[in-house]
Amino acid sequence: QVQLVESGGGLVRAGGSLRLSCAASGLTFGFNMNALGWYRQAPGKQRELVATISTDDRTNYADTVQGRFTISRDNVKKTIHLQMSSLKPEDTAVYYCNTFPILPTNYWGQGTQVTVSS
């Protein structure tokens, strides 16, 4: 029942920008009552939390993206977004959206690839 569809990734040069989108449905408690987050995973590395947004739009960011990324949610369209600016090569990863926190039974979508070239 859970569907998480990420989009907006691509190839961009360092210093560039991308806007990621995630359409989420079938979430426990419904979209509007879930805290949400963006995660990313680089090859050979653990998946890491990038940013979170609460049900009342409070946000938190990993230190590595603070000041460069902005997470937002649209409770009508049931989407979340990640505006990424001043991209760095170390931002290269597959980006995923999901609830926050993650439970062992959580479903993961396909993610969207972000590649930042030097």
Side-chain angles (χ1 to χ4, degrees), residues 35-84:
L36 302 165
W38 282 97
Y39 305 78
R40 68 186 182 186
Q41 186 170 24
K45 297 184 178 180
Q46 292 279 90
R47 181 159 31 224
E48 64 175 334
L49 180 64
V50 175
T52 63
I53 184 164
S54 71
T55 56
D56 57 350
D57 290 346
R58 291 171 295 174
T59 59
N60 285 284
Y61 300 92
D63 290 342
T64 50
V65 308
Q66 182 74 47
R68 300 187 297 118
F69 290 10
T70 301
I71 186 173
S72 61
R73 65 190 295 159
D74 185 331
N75 291 337
V76 176
K77 297 181 179 179
K78 292 181 169 55
T79 58
I80 61 171
H81 304 276
L82 187 68
Q83 179 65 50
M84 307 185 296

Side-chain angles (χ1 to χ4, degrees), residues 16-51:
S17 299
L18 285 173
R19 182 176 173 83
L20 307 184
S21 298
C22 170
S25 62
L27 302 179
T28 303
F29 309 122
F31 183 93
N32 296 355
M33 296 303 295
N34 273 279
L36 302 165
W38 282 97
Y39 305 78
R40 68 186 182 186
Q41 186 170 24
K45 297 184 178 180
Q46 292 279 90
R47 181 159 31 224
E48 64 175 334
L49 180 64
V50 175

Side-chain angles (χ1 to χ4, degrees), residues 6 37-41 47 94-98 108-111:
E6 300 93 346
W38 282 97
Y39 305 78
R40 68 186 182 186
Q41 186 170 24
R47 181 159 31 224
V94 178
Y95 284 70
Y96 303 88
C97 61
N98 219 316
W108 292 93
Q110 293 296 306

Side-chain angles (χ1 to χ4, degrees), residues 82-100:
L82 187 68
Q83 179 65 50
M84 307 185 296
S85 300
S86 301
L87 283 162
K88 304 175 180 179
E90 54 261 43
D91 295 320
T92 295
V94 178
Y95 284 70
Y96 303 88
C97 61
N98 219 316
T99 58
F100 179 81

